[in-house]
Amino acid sequence: MFEKIDHIGIAVSDLEKSVSFYRDQIGLEFKGTEVVEEQKVKVAFFPVGESKVELLEPTDPEGPVGKFIAKKGEGVHHLAFRVTNLEEKLEQLKEQGVALIDEKPRYGAGGAKIAFLHPKSTGGVLVELCER
Ligand code: CMX
């Protein structure tokens, strides 16, 4: 089941500068950063209501966010939905012919179980499903 929008991921090239904008100018609450080695990103968290804004700075230009910024520049990178029973949801989507990037969940920021759907199946939006 889809519960809510868990977070919106925004690709940034200078995390410190972007943290300063969202914290000091927009006025969001800043909850700290985490390096997610597997995804080759450093993530900054800003809770907003029941969701979060996550700023993603590449730690490697060859990682997914590094490649995204090189191709498209900074901007909205992905939309993450909170789900229950991620494995079952992935099975259902696969049966429906949706292109999965991850057929099995992996681990993302905050220890969440995550899996991505390919933008070619979703109208050009990189969609993440996450279970916490
Ligand atoms: N949103 C929308 N479209 C995207 C995209 C994004 N974030 N990233 C890539 N694409 C599009 C590209 O524009 C390209 O489209 P065209 O074929 O029309 O040109 C297509 O997807 C393929 O892109 P590519 O540049 O050739 O890159 P790859 O195929 O090597 O990788 C993707 C694309 C989505 C499979 C890869 O970035 C991926 O596996 N992403 C999931 C992991 C991830 O993004 N992790 C970071 C977040 C970490 C976190 O939240 O913890």
Side-chain angles (χ1 to χ4, degrees), residues 29-82:
E29 181 193 1
F30 172 49
K31 277 285 195 185
T33 60
E34 179 185 341
V35 172
V36 184
E37 296 287 355
E38 201 196 324
Q39 302 287 330
K40 298 184 168 47
V41 284
K42 184 171 179 187
V43 188
F45 303 95
F46 297 88
V48 184
E50 288 201 321
S51 303
K52 284 190 292 293
V53 169
E54 290 189 4
L55 303 182
L56 311 158
E57 178 191 60
T59 55
D60 178 342
E62 292 305 316
V65 176
K67 280 165 74 180
F68 176 88
I69 291 177
K71 202 167 168 184
K72 300 191 184 188
E74 295 180 297
V76 174
H77 180 262
H78 66 268
L79 173 62
F81 293 103
R82 176 87 64 94

Side-chain angles (χ1 to χ4, degrees), residues 2-132:
F2 284 78
E3 294 189 319
K4 60 179 167 187
I5 292 178
D6 187 85
H7 64 268
I8 294 172
I10 300 175
V12 302
S13 46
D14 181 339
L15 193 64
E16 213 174 303
K17 192 170 149 210
S18 295
V19 165
S20 164
F21 173 73
Y22 281 92
R23 181 189 55 205
D24 305 330
Q25 290 178 275
I26 292 204
L28 298 187
E29 181 193 1
F30 172 49
K31 277 285 195 185
T33 60
E34 179 185 341
V35 172
V36 184
E37 296 287 355
E38 201 196 324
Q39 302 287 330
K40 298 184 168 47
V41 284
K42 184 171 179 187
V43 188
F45 303 95
F46 297 88
V48 184
E50 288 201 321
S51 303
K52 284 190 292 293
V53 169
E54 290 189 4
L55 303 182
L56 311 158
E57 178 191 60
T59 55
D60 178 342
E62 292 305 316
V65 176
K67 280 165 74 180
F68 176 88
I69 291 177
K71 202 167 168 184
K72 300 191 184 188
E74 295 180 297
V76 174
H77 180 262
H78 66 268
L79 173 62
F81 293 103
R82 176 87 64 94
V83 299
T84 49
N85 210 338
L86 178 55
E87 279 92 348
E88 192 181 308
K89 195 74 218 165
L90 289 173
E91 279 301 317
Q92 282 171 11
L93 291 166
K94 193 179 170 187
E95 275 166 27
Q96 288 163 14
V98 175
L100 307 179
I101 292 171
D102 304 296
E103 298 214 352
K104 296 272 176 249
R106 47 179 156 159
Y107 287 93
K113 274 205 283 189
I114 62 169
F116 288 92
L117 314 184
H118 202 283
K120 74 182 177 200
S121 270
T122 61
V125 178
L126 178 60
V127 172
E128 176 184 334
L129 305 182
C130 93
E131 183 175 359
R132 294 180 194 275

